[in-house]
Amino acid sequence: MDNNSKLDITIPKGIPDGDYLVWTELIALHQAKQVGGAQLYPNCVVITVTGGTGTVLPESYAIPGIYKSKDKGILYDHGADPSTYVIPGPPLFTGSSSSKSNTTSSTQKMLAAMLNTHLSSIKAQDIELGTIDIATFGANVNGMIIYKNMTDDTEFMATNRITNGLYKVIADYYPIVVGRPSIGKNRKGVIVVDLDNLCMPDIAELSVKLPAEHFFETCNYKNGDMATFSRDHSAAIVRLICFKDSPYIVLYISLPHVIFDGTAIAAFLNNWAECTRNLNNPDHKLKYPPVNDCKVVKDYFDTVTAIEPPHTKHFKDLGAKSLVKVPSSVIAALLLAAPDIPAFEEQHLLHFTAEKLEQLRQDVDKAQTTNLALAAVLTKTILQANIQMFNSMPTWSYVMFPYDCHHHTEVPMTYSGNLSFSAIAPLESQTVLDGSYKEIAQAIKEHCSKVSSEYAKSLIYTVKNEIGILFQAGISLCNLPDMSYVGLTNLCYMSLYSIDFGYGGPKILSNGYFIHEGMQRIYSNKQDGSIDLFMNVKDDLFEYLKKSDKLLKYADIIF
């Protein structure tokens, strides 16, 4: 007041560029001797800080919430010595690195404040889910993308920059990520984007004391790090993981399967990276923006005649006595009420060099693809391990390949929802045990290579009208005394090595920890042109697999 109501402040040089809230406040203390007596007169303005090189983020706080009624400075006897007055509120930010909090809660507050700069472009809306979308509710799509800092850049994969890019791509192109699942008109499944109740991403930095090379074998994510679009937690989980004395940074991302399949999440990650690279260009637009309307799928399949794939009849016959007819009008509500699929953390890694992989194909059947040859070896090997582990012969051995209808239909390649279906080979276990690898590969091919729009249309019909078949398949595709299972997903074709946030593409790809038991993912290994096979099988079963001469002939066990 002595300065004509003018207050000069110096912005600490240690903070990064961005939008900040400047909050000033007068507190009248003449009645502050009693609880609730202090009178607060705040004033605030949003400012944009530019031109700095700082990297230290101040602690963030929610307002209201920074004061409590009995805090010193709020509850105060104004007749006391003024020199004893304690200014209420959070501690003063000094601009030094020691001021930065590494806790998840403080990071979350900072990131929540950062989102406000992008909220203006999000519109309240209900986004309809497609039939295949709701069939995946409760599952997640995840992975680890590993970058290596080859320079002395202290801002390499900085959380604030990566997060700004994430919020921009969500606000401008993928508002569905911050919506919440519900049932809309005509009993359709929808994601509701409510500006007053956004489903905020869960983002945190993690510092790991383990050496980077031991991290993947020993880390175990818990349910809180799995995004399945539950109403109770975030739809997007992001972890930036750094290691002591290591140039590697891991970007772990988990998103709900109900809005993304594998192809769509690869596109999302590349779009996120593109937005991050262009944060300083307010006029930037994605080169290939996503198509978010599931109507393009419906319109295409309206022109297709359904043909039932063989495995549908198999599961229908298998559950003939137990299948329950469910009215199509309640399918969306039924699936969206399903609990999250439990985490499965028993994971193992096999490494196949390019030479050994080609040798495997030649040994099985040089006329077949590498995928089919590998599937044949795994099918028989896992069946043999099952028999040893359970001391019984399973009736059926199932092999599942997901196939991506982006490449088999006229639906735009930029469609952002689910367009993946499953081709399943139900093989009699005795036939697998007695047959050659060449014969097994041929049997798998007969079931799993006949992918078509007509089969996909039939599977959509199954979800809408015969949901019991889907449940029967779900309980059959696992490793138990009466069944053996290999689910093989080849991710080598996906554009994952092109995900460049402005620091170059990743050096290594790794798997997340929340896919079904029996599922296996193939990643290309850019370092030596080989492949990595992540196997989600129980530790006890893997002990028998480790004794397989056939498998060890071609693969090295990493863990």
Side-chain angles (χ1 to χ4, degrees):
M1 289 186 178
D2 291 340
N3 196 27
N4 293 321
S5 299
K6 179 183 177 183
L7 180 66
D8 294 317
I9 61 171
T10 300
I11 298 174
K13 294 181 179 180
I15 64 173
D17 290 353
D19 293 330
Y20 294 86
L21 180 71
V22 175
W23 180 284
T24 63
E25 193 161 29
L26 291 176
I27 304 177
L29 300 172
H30 55 282
Q31 294 181 338
K33 191 174 181 179
Q34 60 187 20
V35 173
Q39 299 175 23
L40 283 67
Y41 300 93
N43 224 324
C44 61
V45 64
V46 175
I47 65 169
T48 300
V49 175
T50 61
T53 58
T55 62
V56 182
L57 289 167
E59 180 81 69
S60 298
Y61 299 90
I63 300 174
I66 56 174
Y67 306 138
K68 293 183 174 60
S69 61
K70 295 184 179 180
D71 283 356
K72 293 181 179 179
I74 298 296
L75 184 63
Y76 177 74
D77 182 357
H78 75 283
D81 182 352
S83 65
T84 64
Y85 183 75
V86 176
I87 297 175
L92 181 67
F93 175 69
T94 65
S96 66
S97 59
S98 61
S99 301
K100 180 181 177 181
S101 170
N102 290 319
T103 64
T104 300
S105 59
S106 64
T107 302
Q108 291 292 71
K109 293 173 184 176
M110 176 273 294
L111 299 178
M114 191 179 291
L115 178 60
N116 290 331
T117 63
H118 300 291
L119 281 178
S120 59
S121 62
I122 295 181
K123 297 179 180 179
Q125 56 193 294
D126 289 1
I127 302 172
E128 184 176 331
L129 296 170
T131 302
I132 300 304
D133 295 329
I134 62 172
T136 64
F137 191 81
N140 73 316
V141 183
N142 61 51
M144 300 182 196
I145 310 168
I146 305 161
Y147 296 85
K148 186 176 183 180
N149 189 354
M150 307 295 289
T151 69
D152 295 327
D153 184 2
T154 57
E155 290 295 288
F156 183 80
M157 294 293 288
T159 300
N160 63 316
R161 181 173 176 79
I162 300 301
T163 302
N164 252 318
L166 174 64
Y167 286 153
K168 180 170 177 57
V169 80
I170 289 174
D172 292 354
Y173 299 101
Y174 296 94
I176 193 171
V177 175
V178 290
R180 296 182 186 274
S182 186
I183 301 299
K185 297 178 181 178
N186 301 321
R187 307 302 295 167
K188 299 281 188 179
V190 296
I191 300 297
V192 178
V193 181
D194 178 356
L195 300 186
D196 294 323
N197 188 28
L198 292 177
C199 184
M200 293 288 291
D202 179 354
I203 305 171
E205 298 173 342
L206 298 179
S207 181
V208 178
K209 295 180 180 180
L210 290 171
E213 59 269 24
H214 297 316
F215 169 71
F216 303 103
E217 181 177 359
T218 56
C219 71
N220 285 310
Y221 287 98
K222 303 303 178 187
N223 283 327
D225 290 335
M226 178 177 67
T228 53
F229 235 139
S230 165
R231 293 164 180 78
D232 301 323
H233 59 67
S234 298
I237 308 289
V238 177
R239 298 288 181 263
L240 279 158
I241 307 166
C242 60
F243 306 89
K244 184 179 180 181
D245 302 324
S246 172
Y248 289 103
I249 298 287
V250 175
L251 174 64
Y252 170 78
I253 176 74
S254 178
L255 289 159
H257 207 330
V258 70
I259 58 174
F260 291 115
D261 61 11
T263 297
I265 197 174
F268 171 80
L269 291 170
N270 276 283
N271 289 337
W272 173 9
E274 183 181 335
C275 284
T276 304
R277 294 195 306 270
N278 291 278
L279 281 172
N280 294 330
N281 179 6
D283 298 322
H284 172 262
K285 302 294 183 184
L286 287 179
K287 186 175 182 181
Y288 301 107
V291 175
N292 298 320
D293 189 354
C294 68
K295 187 175 183 296
V296 297
V297 177
K298 180 182 182 301
D299 289 347
Y300 171 75
F301 281 108
D302 281 347
T303 68
V304 174
T305 301
I307 298 177
E308 185 176 271
H311 70 260
T312 298
K313 184 178 186 307
H314 168 81
F315 290 117
K316 190 184 297 184
D317 293 343
L318 197 64
K321 295 181 179 179
S322 58
L323 292 180
V324 177
K325 186 70 175 178
V326 179
S328 59
S329 60
V330 302
I331 293 297
L334 177 67
L335 291 174
L336 293 185
D340 290 348
I341 296 172
F344 188 88
E345 299 179 359
E346 296 172 71
Q347 188 174 93
H348 304 277
L349 174 61
L350 301 183
H351 180 78
F352 293 79
T353 65
E355 295 76 17
K356 288 291 183 70
L357 201 59
E358 176 58 20
Q359 181 186 342
L360 181 151
R361 189 180 72 86
Q362 293 284 340
D363 291 348
V364 170
D365 184 355
K366 61 184 179 182
Q368 300 289 8
T369 65
T370 302
N371 256 18
L372 283 168
L374 179 58
V377 171
L378 290 172
T379 299
K380 190 165 189 170
T381 303
I382 288 179
L383 172 60
Q384 291 168 333
N386 252 14
I387 294 171
Q388 290 177 287
M389 179 175 174
F390 296 113
N391 197 29
S392 65
M393 168 70 82
T395 305
W396 294 100
S397 292
Y398 295 106
V399 184
M400 187 276 287
F401 283 104
Y403 65 94
D404 183 1
C405 260
H406 285 91
H407 301 280
H408 298 279
T409 69
E410 296 174 14
V411 176
M413 281 295 296
T414 52
Y415 175 62
S416 63
N418 281 276
L419 207 58
S420 294
F421 299 84
S422 296
I424 303 171
L427 308 176
E428 292 186 12
S429 294
Q430 191 63 57
T431 302
V432 172
L433 201 60
D434 296 340
S436 67
Y437 290 104
K438 181 177 181 178
E439 291 169 335
I440 297 168
Q442 183 59 38
I444 296 171
K445 181 179 181 181
E446 289 176 2
H447 284 277
C448 296
S449 63
K450 298 176 182 178
V451 296
S452 68
S453 296
E454 290 78 13
Y455 279 3
K457 174 68 174 287
S458 175
L459 294 172
I460 291 173
Y461 174 87
T462 298
V463 174
K464 284 184 175 180
N465 299 283
E466 298 182 280
I467 194 68
I469 298 175
L470 182 68
F471 291 143
Q472 181 63 51
I475 62 176
S476 300
L477 301 181
C478 55
N479 286 291
L480 291 172
D482 56 347
M483 60 196 68
S484 181
Y485 173 54
V486 173
L488 193 60
T489 305
N490 191 333
L491 303 180
C492 292
Y493 75 94
M494 290 186 182
S495 54
L496 297 174
Y497 279 107
S498 63
I499 301 168
D500 177 8
F501 289 90
Y503 311 97
K507 297 298 180 184
I508 306 170
L509 302 175
S510 187
N511 198 33
Y513 279 75
F514 293 99
I515 51 179
H516 303 189
E517 190 273 335
M519 286 295 294
Q520 303 174 41
R521 285 179 176 176
I522 300 172
Y523 287 91
S524 59
N525 189 314
K526 191 177 181 181
Q527 295 181 319
D528 60 3
S530 60
I531 68 163
D532 294 321
L533 176 67
F534 288 86
M535 305 181 70
N536 267 43
V537 296
K538 295 176 181 177
D539 294 341
D540 292 345
L541 183 63
F542 192 73
E543 287 301 313
Y544 291 102
L545 289 174
K546 286 165 59 175
K547 301 172 185 177
S548 168
D549 293 337
K550 188 68 174 179
L551 199 57
L552 296 180
K553 179 181 178 181
Y554 306 107
D556 295 317
I557 297 174
I558 307 303
F559 59 79

